[in-house]
Amino acid sequence: MFSTEESIEAYRAGVLKAILDHLKPFEDVLAAWEGGSIATNTKDQFSDIDLCFLANNKNLNEVLNRVEQSLVKLHIEHKWQAQKSVWGEGMMQRVFILKDSPKYFLVDVAIFDIEHAQLLKDFLEFERHGQPVIHFDKSAYIQVGHTDAMALF
């Protein structure tokens, strides 16, 4: 089914479009960007989608449910979500496997709460997470920063 890198890229673009078109109109969804291999410029045929959203909504699970709704037509085969984020308060993450997707292809979605600015700042450090690919940003919320090397050691 996915014999070429171009066909994988077309599939990936279709998945992104389905999610972004569904979530962008919501007023509480403030920004969307990709991290992971896209941000670190290491994407290959095994790369998944690492999609992040910034939300002004205390119920981050509600925003994740909207992402899930956007994927229903693409047939979710499996989903996984930790009960509590390893990153603490202010972020929730859900991973989806879609039926008939390319081998190793996942949709990894993280929702960040705007009220937790430090967590967002940490995930936007260039040295650790690369240059995010911003899909939309309604008020210039996504600001790439740099790691404070002194704070790490």
Side-chain angles (χ1 to χ4, degrees), residues 1 6-8 11-12 18 20 28 37 41 43 47-48 54 60-61 71 76 80-81 83 90 106-107 110 112 136 144:
M1 180 176 193
E6 291 83 21
S7 62
I8 294 171
Y11 180 83
R12 185 180 195 290
L20 295 169
D28 62 342
S37 61
N41 202 28
K43 183 180 84 116
S47 294
D48 58 3
L54 179 64
L60 299 181
N61 203 49
L71 294 172
I76 299 167
W80 177 84
Q81 179 176 335
Q83 293 297 329
L106 304 172
V107 181
F112 291 84
F136 66 86
V144 177

Side-chain angles (χ1 to χ4, degrees), residues 101-112:
S101 63
K103 192 172 185 176
Y104 309 116
F105 185 87
L106 304 172
V107 181
D108 185 348
V109 180
I111 313 294
F112 291 84

Side-chain angles (χ1 to χ4, degrees), residues 35-44 47 129-131 133:
S37 61
I38 291 289
T40 59
N41 202 28
T42 58
K43 183 180 84 116
D44 62 19
S47 294
H129 299 283
Q131 180 66 42
V133 174

Side-chain angles (χ1 to χ4, degrees), residues 1-2 11-12 14-16 18-19 49 67-68 70-79 95-107:
M1 180 176 193
F2 298 98
Y11 180 83
R12 185 180 195 290
V15 172
L16 274 172
I19 298 169
I49 294 176
V67 173
E68 188 168 331
S70 74
L71 294 172
V72 167
K73 290 182 181 177
L74 297 172
H75 307 287
I76 299 167
E77 190 168 85
H78 182 75
K79 64 182 176 182
V95 178
F96 301 91
I97 299 173
L98 304 176
K99 185 177 182 187
D100 298 324
S101 63
K103 192 172 185 176
Y104 309 116
F105 185 87
L106 304 172
V107 181

Side-chain angles (χ1 to χ4, degrees), residues 124-149:
L124 292 172
E125 290 180 349
F126 178 81
E127 293 81 4
R128 294 172 61 199
H129 299 283
Q131 180 66 42
V133 174
I134 300 171
H135 291 286
F136 66 86
D137 188 350
K138 295 177 180 176
S139 290
Y141 294 106
I142 306 307
Q143 301 294 318
V144 177
H146 293 281
T147 304
D148 179 358

Side-chain angles (χ1 to χ4, degrees), residues 18-32 53 135-138:
I19 298 169
L20 295 169
D21 286 355
H22 186 76
L23 268 74
K24 187 175 182 178
F26 288 97
E27 286 184 22
D28 62 342
V29 179
L30 306 174
F53 290 94
H135 291 286
F136 66 86
D137 188 350
K138 295 177 180 176

